[in-house]
Amino acid sequence: MTFAPVKDVLTFSGEIKPHIAENVLSTEKGKVWSAMAGAKQHFIVIKFEKAVEISGIDVGNNGSAFIEVLVSRSDGSSTSGDKADGSSFSTLLPVTMLMTPKDSKEWENIRSVNIFGGSKLDGAACKEKWDTVRIVVKQPYNKVEDYGLNFIRFRTIDSSSSSSSSSSLSSPAKTATSSSSSSSTSLPTQSLGLFKLRKEPTTSLAPAGFMKKHNSIEKLMSSVKEQEEKEKETSKLVEEAKKAREKALKELKEVKKPSTSPPP
């Protein structure tokens, strides 16, 4: 499984610098695509280096409530009759929610990551090859905040992966030997599309992370201690008020108590 190589951004509905449309193709942290708030929808059209079969979509959100993904071929052939930007597009991912109305209004969870594949995608479209993609995003619940996407990646089945897979199936003894030898050694750095994966010890904790956790615990303990002191002070005040009330009632009873001295 690899990511489809993107050649270029063909067109887009809008952008707010420095959050330009091409940022959806970047792997750098902090780079996002944002377009003007209040618009009914925004879109971006990208072109692959070659036509590929798309098996999945990874989406990093940036405040959009809905997303829709359409696909096309540069020769214009498609199973859909819709026209957009001079080409015919078919639906790959139908309109899908990325944020709830509540999160949209309160502007929370705006950077969620969503992985779409299998039943989420149109089965017929997944069986064909495409070289052009149109991504449409909408945010009808918040007219104040700019919105767009953080990133988008298109997963595809690499033919070289398929051939190596069939080769390993034809040699079970070799596969078993290779698996046993690799289990006795540490895993090297591996690549997954545009990202690199590295096995890290699960028990290690960087000094900065330790200090942050330590400070959080200290703050929590301080907060608990402060709360306990407040509760003690409150209990003390309640007890004093109770005693004062009992004393006042006692004095009131003494005042109202009839005199027992004989009349003159």
Side-chain angles (χ1 to χ4, degrees), residues 226-241:
E226 184 180 348
Q227 184 65 27
E228 289 177 349
E229 290 177 354
K230 288 182 178 179
E231 290 178 355
K232 288 180 180 178
E233 185 67 23
T234 302
S235 299
K236 185 178 178 180
L237 293 173
V238 171
E239 188 65 26
E240 290 177 355

Side-chain angles (χ1 to χ4, degrees), residues 74-129:
S74 54
D75 59 7
S77 58
S78 168
T79 57
S80 171
D82 296 334
K83 296 285 182 178
D85 300 312
S87 300
S88 179
F89 283 86
S90 298
T91 299
L92 177 63
L93 175 69
V95 177
T96 303
M97 178 175 286
L98 298 179
M99 288 176 64
T100 64
K102 181 177 181 294
D103 284 346
S104 297
K105 293 174 183 177
E106 298 178 359
W107 208 238
E108 296 179 348
N109 301 319
I110 66 171
R111 296 288 175 85
S112 63
V113 176
N114 303 267
I115 298 176
F116 302 107
S119 60
K120 295 289 184 180
L121 305 181
D122 183 84
C126 288
K127 295 178 181 179
E128 297 188 51
K129 292 186 176 183

Side-chain angles (χ1 to χ4, degrees), residues 141-161:
Y141 306 117
N142 190 315
K143 305 296 184 180
V144 178
E145 303 289 348
D146 302 327
Y147 67 96
L149 292 178
N150 188 350
F151 68 83
I152 188 165
R153 306 282 182 268
F154 296 89
R155 284 177 277 121
T156 181
I157 300 175
D158 190 1
S159 57
S160 60
S161 300

Side-chain angles (χ1 to χ4, degrees), residues 33 42-46 48 54 56-60 66-72 80 82 89-98 114 116 120-122 125-126 130 132-138 149 151-155:
W33 166 48
H42 286 293
F43 70 87
I44 180 173
V45 180
I46 63 176
F48 295 148
I54 300 172
I57 307 174
D58 300 346
V59 178
F66 298 97
I67 186 173
E68 181 183 20
V69 178
L70 309 171
V71 287
S72 178
S80 171
D82 296 334
F89 283 86
S90 298
T91 299
L92 177 63
L93 175 69
V95 177
T96 303
M97 178 175 286
L98 298 179
N114 303 267
F116 302 107
K120 295 289 184 180
L121 305 181
D122 183 84
C126 288
W130 312 98
T132 308
V133 180
R134 187 174 193 261
I135 305 108
V136 182
V137 293
K138 301 178 181 181
L149 292 178
F151 68 83
I152 188 165
R153 306 282 182 268
F154 296 89
R155 284 177 277 121

